[in-house]
Amino acid sequence: MSSEANERELEEGIVTDFKNRMTYGSYLDLDKLLDAQHPVSQPEHHDELLFIVQHQTTELWLKLMIHELGRARDLLAADDLREALKPIARIKHIQDVITRQWSVLATLTPTEYSEFRGFLGNASGFQSVQYRCVEFALGNKNEKMLSVFRSHPENLAMLTAEWERPTLYDEFLRLVARRGLSVPASILERDVRLPYRETPELIPVIKEVYENTHEHWELYEACEELVDVEDNFQFWRFRHLRTVTRTIGMKRGTGGSTGVDFLQRALSLTFFPELYSVRTEIGR
């Protein structure tokens, strides 16, 4: 009878009295979460909500990515490479989600964005402390970025802690050394606050892993997982670049950068250079 009426009956066991019970909304703190979108345009522009939600959801995924990067590094430091591959795999899926969601923001036309962009002042994704934490955790350390957060002590402390912590690649290469391979001392003893730079002497070590996969299978698998992470990050950077290009053209960014040109230069940054350079040497 209910199917004919296009209606589904509630099953007898479904809970409907939540007077003294946790609810879906209270567990997720939805009252606070769904009340965190505050358009600033006057009059309020219809498309500003899209812009806000896009960036807020990205920040939630970045929060989870930071959480997983911390877990992966702890496991690598504890010599548990197999277990460390799980959070790395999860990071790859997060990257896929935040890259694909650029397509939603790309529905915002230049005309629509221009109608509320001026209300944003100097607010810019450049100021995302979580994004900088992810970059630092993966190896793109930049001490100058700390100055962006000097007016926000909590964010400065968060990024400073990440700046002083070994990167994902640092922890992986330390593990490789503990597995008996000849990782150069300059890498193992490097100042982890500096951006990671390619060390040619490491390439033969990585080549040994790739050319002896049966002996070094876990290391080989981890190298390919790290390459996936870097590729995914570059896909994200490129999608960001293209979305900005189609939305504001060659205008300067709200945060003061040159916009597209500044984003273009980020594509030359790398996290795990030897994992790419080794491909030229394999088979020679």
Side-chain angles (χ1 to χ4, degrees):
M1 192 69 173
S2 61
S3 61
E4 292 177 5
N6 199 28
E7 182 181 90
R8 181 177 60 173
E9 297 289 345
L10 289 182
E11 295 176 351
E12 186 176 341
I14 290 178
V15 177
T16 58
D17 181 2
F18 295 101
K19 184 177 181 180
N20 297 306
R21 292 184 173 95
M22 179 185 294
T23 67
Y24 175 80
S26 62
Y27 173 67
L28 296 177
D29 209 358
L30 289 183
D31 286 345
K32 182 184 296 183
L33 184 65
L34 298 179
D35 191 40
Q37 295 74 47
H38 306 293
V40 296
S41 54
Q42 295 291 335
E44 183 178 321
H45 192 279
H46 172 82
D47 295 305
E48 191 179 353
L49 183 61
L50 159 64
F51 192 79
I52 293 172
V53 169
Q54 166 87 20
H55 290 83
Q56 286 184 340
T57 53
T58 296
E59 289 295 331
L60 287 172
W61 286 120
L62 289 173
K63 180 174 184 176
L64 181 57
M65 196 182 301
I66 293 167
H67 182 66
E68 299 298 341
L69 282 165
R71 173 67 170 163
R73 283 178 288 177
D74 288 343
L75 290 167
L76 290 172
D79 286 317
D80 195 345
L81 177 57
R82 183 183 297 274
E83 193 67 26
L85 292 180
K86 176 60 184 289
I88 292 174
R90 183 171 291 161
I91 288 165
K92 288 164 52 179
H93 285 288
I94 296 169
Q95 290 177 306
D96 183 53
V97 170
I98 64 174
T99 298
R100 284 189 287 112
Q101 75 177 36
W102 281 118
S103 64
V104 183
L105 191 61
T107 65
L108 183 67
T109 69
T111 303
E112 292 165 344
Y113 185 40
S114 68
E115 291 178 5
F116 67 85
R117 185 176 188 247
F119 291 94
L120 303 181
N122 294 124
S124 166
F126 180 82
Q127 300 144 16
S128 169
V129 67
Q130 292 197 125
Y131 175 80
R132 297 303 166 192
C133 283
V134 170
E135 276 202 325
F136 279 20
L138 292 175
N140 285 161
K141 301 282 182 84
N142 186 343
E143 184 178 0
K144 294 177 182 177
M145 283 303 310
L146 297 174
S147 65
V148 178
F149 304 97
R150 283 178 183 153
S151 61
H152 195 300
E154 288 185 7
N155 284 350
L156 178 60
M158 179 182 181
L159 189 59
T160 300
E162 196 57 71
W163 176 58
E164 295 174 342
R165 183 176 181 178
T167 71
L168 183 66
Y169 201 35
D170 285 324
E171 294 292 9
F172 173 65
L173 293 177
R174 291 174 182 183
L175 181 145
V176 171
R178 293 194 297 271
R179 293 279 178 102
L181 287 105
S182 302
V183 176
S186 61
I187 290 177
L188 301 176
E189 299 167 2
R190 83 180 195 91
D191 184 347
V192 300
R193 297 173 300 176
L194 298 176
Y196 184 86
R197 294 183 174 89
E198 182 168 353
T199 303
E201 294 78 14
L202 179 62
I203 296 175
V205 179
I206 303 299
K207 183 180 180 184
E208 179 181 343
V209 171
Y210 273 84
E211 293 186 340
N212 297 277
T213 57
H214 292 293
E215 182 180 352
H216 304 297
W217 180 261
E218 284 191 351
L219 296 179
Y220 168 67
E221 183 180 13
C223 286
E224 285 298 284
E225 290 290 301
L226 292 178
V227 169
D228 285 344
V229 169
E230 173 147 352
D231 276 358
N232 287 350
F233 204 95
Q234 292 288 36
F235 294 152
W236 186 91
R237 281 174 170 159
F238 181 74
R239 196 70 178 90
H240 183 196
L241 169 68
R242 296 309 302 171
T243 302
V244 170
T245 301
R246 70 180 289 164
T247 307
I248 67 168
M250 303 305 293
K251 294 186 184 75
R252 295 189 70 87
T254 51
S257 75
T258 52
V260 167
D261 180 64
F262 184 75
L263 297 176
Q264 181 76 49
R265 281 182 275 130
L267 293 174
S268 66
L269 301 176
T270 183
F271 300 127
F272 320 124
E274 296 87 0
L275 299 187
Y276 288 86
S277 296
V278 73
R279 282 152 167 77
T280 305
E281 305 300 323
I282 292 171
R284 282 187 170 180

